[in-house]
Amino acid sequence: GGSHLPDITVTSPVFEGGRLAFFVASRGHHTDIGGISPGSMPPNSRALVEEGAAIVSFKLVKAGQFQEAGISELLMAPGKLVGTIPGISGTRCLADNLSDLRAQVAANQRGITLMHSLMEEFSPRVVHSYMGHIQATAEKAVRDMLRQFSLDQGLPEVGTVVAVDVMDDGSPIRLAVTINRREGTAVFDFEGTGPEVYANHNAPPAVALSAVIYALRAMVDKDIPLNQGCLAPVTVRIPEACMLNPSPEAAVVGGNVLTSQRVTDVVLKAFQAAAASQGCMNNLTFGDEGLGYYETIAGGAGAGPGWHGRSGVHTHMTNTRITDPEILERRYPVVLRAFHLREGSGGNGQFKGGDGVVREIEALRPIRAGILSERRSTAPYGLMGGCAGTPGLNLLRRADSGRTVNIGGKASISMAAGDLLIINTPGAGGCGRPHSNQGGSNACDMGAPDGMPNARSGEQGAGGVVRGRELGEEDSQLQRALQSKRQRTGREEDGQSRVVLKGSVQEYVASQEGA
């Protein structure tokens, strides 16, 4: 399914013996597709039409010919609304769009060639069979994980866990996961999630589904490829007209890059798998009528039972690589003044949350910049008594006056030459009650352990005690989690990220060490 408009998907059929056998597809995020701001990630969009070219379906290649004129017309179409929507434009980077689309077509063609080679070597029947086997293996792995979690948590044969988090505007994301241990199935029910918002962090249902399948794959101990079989034992219910299932005209550009991260955190919280990570992708855009630039900025990764969170990394629902400083400064009218870890921003705990980063960009000439971010007013919560991470902070320092102002989590600003944009990304939550030798008392310095309603009881954290539950219960939760992992892996946990979320960006880069 779709995510947001800058993500354009190119799909191609694979024929075998004159019959349709498979599809191959490539999806690319395009730097600009028009809309009300350069980079097509407007912080303040209120309707889908403001976010750029909306391509429902278009035959990109016909009779072997790339349809440049037709796709160009679609990409430039938003500019026709300039009389009714102030500041709107067609794509500002048409040549780049066309080059990227041709690259996507070429990637698909390479995929078609590889599929034909595979069928020639093993026969179409064998290839189809093994695709089924891969999905069946994934389905069994998820069913086994669901059963094990139910047992570890002491749930009844059909039991429910609940997790809640809130966006910076107060909109709740609520998830109830009901697990049937006998069948190895689960229902993920987002009933109680806030309604569609008059902002752009609504998310199409495909975003929530992607977050669920990612989290399930991450929590499976076995090394399996991500595939649709992971969702076979799962039913996902998303109420209509809520933030995760909005109307067709709703603005959604932030849903794919902000809300997706928060849904992932909520799923992992329900399963007591990891504390909150930075909770957004810190989307920065700048440009003018002749250029557009877009980047996402790393932050802290949440700690979990057995590992410290990584610092200065992209987490969960993103895999983008930031532009090298030399290329950024050579191609764009900016100077990168600072880029380093935001030390101490990760939450304290037996296992510490990862630190965020600081990124400072100075404009060399007048440009328009936008920041689309979350976790600026709500802190990334800890897990099992761990402390919350430090929220993010976006600042603008004016060159003419030296004045520094907080521009908030979502803003579109004009920068003059010499102005400095300072992005402080969030740290992540810690896991487990901090020991006294980790600095100060056993209580967290800011916020509360967990910082949000508990995954099982729904009770709110406050000070050194989670209401209705002594901190000793948090310690017991952590010890049960560590014991369960020891039984499954045969390893002792030392905090060095050996037991981690499989397949996630936290996966230990030297995973074979000590194996």
Side-chain angles (χ1 to χ4, degrees), residues 3-5 40-48 50-51 165-173 190 193-208 238 241-247 249-264 279-283 371-378 408-411:
S3 49
H4 60 182
L5 297 183
S40 303
M41 296 288 291
N44 301 313
S45 56
R46 297 291 183 264
L48 187 70
E50 299 174 338
E51 297 178 348
D165 194 8
V166 294
M167 305 291 286
D168 279 354
D169 70 347
S171 297
I173 299 175
F190 287 94
T193 294
E196 176 184 321
V197 295
Y198 188 57
N200 61 23
H201 54 273
N202 301 293
V207 170
I238 308 175
C242 80
M243 184 172 58
L244 303 180
N245 191 5
S247 58
E249 61 270 19
V252 296
V253 74
N256 189 51
V257 292
L258 303 179
T259 311
S260 64
Q261 297 278 39
R262 307 299 287 280
V263 175
T264 303
C280 80
M281 299 180 196
N282 305 292
N283 306 267
I371 182 70
L372 187 58
S373 60
E374 270 282 324
R375 289 283 189 211
R376 267 50 183 177
S377 63
T378 60
K410 301 170 181 67

Side-chain angles (χ1 to χ4, degrees), residues 258-325:
L258 303 179
T259 311
S260 64
Q261 297 278 39
R262 307 299 287 280
V263 175
T264 303
D265 275 345
V266 169
V267 176
L268 296 177
K269 183 180 183 182
F271 283 87
Q272 298 286 280
S277 293
Q278 67 163 335
C280 80
M281 299 180 196
N282 305 292
N283 306 267
L284 173 64
T285 59
F286 64 78
D288 54 27
E289 291 306 313
L291 66 89
Y293 174 80
Y294 169 51
E295 69 179 23
T296 60
I297 307 173
W307 74 87
H308 300 295
R310 292 297 182 88
S311 297
V313 294
H314 271 305
T315 57
H316 303 319
M317 303 301 290
T318 182
N319 60 356
T320 51
R321 179 179 177 179
I322 205 160
T323 305
D324 292 334

Side-chain angles (χ1 to χ4, degrees), residues 7-36:
D7 288 346
I8 300 179
T9 305
V10 177
T11 304
S12 303
V14 181
F15 293 96
E16 175 64 25
R19 299 179 62 184
L20 178 63
F22 303 101
F23 286 99
V24 294
S26 59
R27 172 175 289 174
H29 181 104
H30 287 244
T31 303
D32 197 293
I33 56 159
I36 60 175

Side-chain angles (χ1 to χ4, degrees), residues 440-463:
S441 67
N442 285 9
C444 298
D445 293 332
M446 61 172 291
D450 291 315
M452 280 299 299
N454 175 257
R456 293 191 67 185
S457 67
E459 296 168 327
Q460 177 73 29

Side-chain angles (χ1 to χ4, degrees), residues 98-309:
L98 296 175
S99 295
D100 290 343
L101 287 169
R102 285 189 171 94
Q104 288 181 251
V105 171
N108 283 10
Q109 189 57 48
R110 178 60 176 160
I112 292 171
T113 300
L114 291 172
M115 288 304 303
H116 282 146
S117 297
L118 198 63
M119 288 187 287
E120 288 172 5
E121 182 175 359
F122 295 104
S123 82
R125 183 184 63 81
V126 171
V127 173
H128 275 285
S129 295
Y130 270 87
M131 287 186 172
H133 299 332
I134 289 172
Q135 293 184 52
T137 299
E139 176 181 348
K140 182 180 185 303
V142 171
R143 289 185 189 274
D144 290 345
M145 183 276 292
L146 293 171
R147 290 187 175 106
Q148 187 62 52
F149 172 77
S150 175
L151 290 170
D152 290 345
Q153 295 296 307
L155 298 178
E157 187 172 276
V158 179
T160 301
V161 292
V162 177
V164 183
D165 194 8
V166 294
M167 305 291 286
D168 279 354
D169 70 347
S171 297
I173 299 175
R174 185 184 188 278
L175 173 64
V177 182
T178 300
I179 299 173
N180 185 319
R181 190 164 62 241
R182 181 175 57 184
E183 297 179 358
T185 59
V187 175
F188 285 66
D189 193 343
F190 287 94
E191 184 69 42
T193 294
E196 176 184 321
V197 295
Y198 188 57
N200 61 23
H201 54 273
N202 301 293
V207 170
L209 289 170
S210 296
V212 169
I213 192 173
Y214 161 81
L216 289 171
R217 167 63 186 83
M219 291 185 291
V220 167
D221 287 329
K222 297 178 180 177
D223 190 10
I224 59 171
L226 183 65
N227 64 82
Q228 189 68 19
C230 294
L231 286 180
V234 170
T235 300
V236 180
R237 296 174 180 167
I238 308 175
E240 290 187 5
C242 80
M243 184 172 58
L244 303 180
N245 191 5
S247 58
E249 61 270 19
V252 296
V253 74
N256 189 51
V257 292
L258 303 179
T259 311
S260 64
Q261 297 278 39
R262 307 299 287 280
V263 175
T264 303
D265 275 345
V266 169
V267 176
L268 296 177
K269 183 180 183 182
F271 283 87
Q272 298 286 280
S277 293
Q278 67 163 335
C280 80
M281 299 180 196
N282 305 292
N283 306 267
L284 173 64
T285 59
F286 64 78
D288 54 27
E289 291 306 313
L291 66 89
Y293 174 80
Y294 169 51
E295 69 179 23
T296 60
I297 307 173
W307 74 87
H308 300 295

